[in-house]
Amino acid sequence: MNVYDGQRIAAMLTARGMKQTDDVSAADIIILNTCAVRAKATDKVFSALGRIRNAKKADALFGIVGCVAREAGADAFRRIPELNFVLGPQSYHKLPEILENPDTKLLNIDLGGLEKFDELPQMEKSPAVAYIPIQEGCNHCCTYCIVPYTRGREISRSFNDVIKDVNHAAQTGAIEICFLGQNVNGYKYTDSDGAIYRLSDLIRETAKLDAIKRIRFTSSYPTEMTDDLIDMFRTEPKLLPFLNLPIQSGSQNVLTRMNRPYSLDLYIDIVDKLKSARSDIQISSDFIVGFPGETDEDFEQTMDIVKRVRYINSYSFKYSPRPHTAAAVMPNQIPESIKAKRLAILDSYLNEIQRDFNLSCVGKKLNCLYEGPDKTGKHLVYRTPYMQQCIIDSIDGNIPSMTMIEITAANKASLRGKIAKPD
C-alpha cells in the first residue's frame, strides 16, 4: 500500500510541474511516506526526519504522510518543530495545499472516506506491476494491530472505480495487477441496484484484459478466504499460484488473545482447499513471536504449523507493543531476550524451507516477469510466479517483459537462470 501511495504522491506533484530528485539537499519538498505497524518503523521515521532537517535547504518544505502521521498527530510538530505538514494515509491528496500556502503548517489526520482516490490524478505510465487498492481499513481489530486506528474501519471502493483503474493501468504499460487492501479478501461492494461484488469478481473482470498476464492480491485474512475466491485459483490461470495467508501464531490460546477468531482446523482446511483447487499453489505467512503470555508450548505449536504447511516465504517479527492497542497493556509481556531467541529459531527453520523450495525449482521452466537490471548492470532481475527473484545474465537486444526462464541454480534468497529455449 505504501508503494502505491508513494507512486500516486509522485504523480500528483509531477502533474504540478515538479520532478523527482534523489538529492535531499536539492529538493524543494521532501515527503516521508510512513508505516506504523511496528515501533521500530516509527522510531526510524523520526531519526530520518532529524537527518533531513540538517541536510535540507533552508526553505525546503518537509513532512510526513501515512500511518506514523496519523499515529503521532500534532505531537510530530513538537518533536520536529521544523515540520511543515503531517498528513494521515487518507489525507495526502491535500499536499497541494502546502504548496499553495508554504508559510502555514498543515495537519490533517482525519479518517476520511475514499476521497483521495477521486482527487488523485492517474499516472501517465504504469509500472509493469500496478498496485490497485480496492479497500482500506480493517474491522477485525486484532489486539496487537494499530491499523484500525491509523487506517480506520473497512471501506470498499466501487467495482467500477477499481476496474477503471485496472483498465488505465493495462493501457499504460501494466502487465501484472496486484490488488491491495488491509483486508483485501474482505472486499465487498454493493451497487445502487443491489448487486454485490467480491474480490473474485474483480479478478474475473481483470483477467479479460489481454495486456494483463498476472494477477495477485495481498494481504488476506483467513476467514475471508471464501469458496468463490478459492475457486478462482482453479479456474483462472492468470491468478498466480501464490498466496500470503497470515496465521500469526500456531497456538489457539495465542490466537484467541490476539482476537483472531479462527481455529487451527479452519486454517488448515482453507490451505487444503487451496491446494485441491490448484496443486502447484504455495503459501506464505506472517508470524508474531513473543506475544504477551506466549509460553514455550505456544511457540512450539507455531513451529508445528510451520512444519505442517511449509511456507515458502514468510514475514516474522518479535511482538512490538503499539499505542491504541489492547495487547500493549496485557499482562505477561515477554522479555526481549526470549522474543529474540524464539525469532531466531523460527527464522532459521523458515529460511531452511525457503531454501528447499528454491532448490526444488532448479531444472524447471518458470514464466517470469521482468523487474529491471541489478545494481551492477551486468544482470537482469525477473520475478517468478512465486515472487522469487530470478537473476539472469544481461542479453543483447530487446529485453522480454515476460519470458520462460530455466532455473539453473538457487539459494535461500534468489534463483539463477537463463532464458529457456523453445520446446
Side-chain angles (χ1 to χ4, degrees), residues 380-402:
L380 306 178
V381 179
Y382 280 80
R383 193 67 64 169
T384 77
Y386 301 104
M387 294 296 103
Q388 302 146 294
Q389 188 181 74
C390 183
I391 301 167
I392 71 171
D393 291 335
S394 289
I395 58 176
D396 295 327
N398 293 329
I399 298 172
S401 56
M402 289 279 297

Side-chain angles (χ1 to χ4, degrees), residues 15 37 87 114 155 162 196 268 330 363 383 406:
V37 168
L87 299 172
L114 299 172
I155 312 175
V162 173
I196 298 174
I268 292 298
M330 283 182 177
R383 193 67 64 169
E406 181 180 347

Side-chain angles (χ1 to χ4, degrees), residues 80-102:
I80 308 287
E82 296 85 355
L83 283 174
N84 300 100
F85 54 90
V86 177
L87 299 172
Q90 294 170 352
S91 305
Y92 65 74
H93 59 288
K94 298 183 180 295
L95 268 171
E97 292 183 22
I98 196 68
L99 297 176
E100 295 164 4
N101 302 281

Side-chain angles (χ1 to χ4, degrees), residues 402-414:
M402 289 279 297
T403 189
M404 294 296 294
I405 292 179
E406 181 180 347
I407 309 304
T408 58
N411 55 34
K412 183 197 79 67
S414 63

Side-chain angles (χ1 to χ4, degrees), residues 2 6 47 53 61 69 93 96 126 129 136 153 198 210 218 233 257 262 313 322-323 362 368 376 386 412 422-423:
N2 278 16
S47 294
R53 173 176 55 187
L61 302 171
H93 59 288
S126 174
V129 178
E136 283 213 0
R153 307 294 277 179
R198 303 300 300 262
D210 292 339
T218 193
F233 287 95
R257 292 199 300 279
Y262 49 81
N313 181 29
R322 308 305 292 121
V362 175
C368 300
T376 70
Y386 301 104
K412 183 197 79 67
D423 292 330

Side-chain angles (χ1 to χ4, degrees), residues 301-318:
Q301 289 170 356
T302 294
M303 294 299 296
D304 288 343
I305 204 80
V306 169
K307 294 171 184 177
R308 184 170 180 179
V309 178
R310 294 191 66 80
Y311 302 96
I312 67 162
N313 181 29
S314 294
Y315 305 93
S316 49
F317 305 101
K318 295 182 290 184

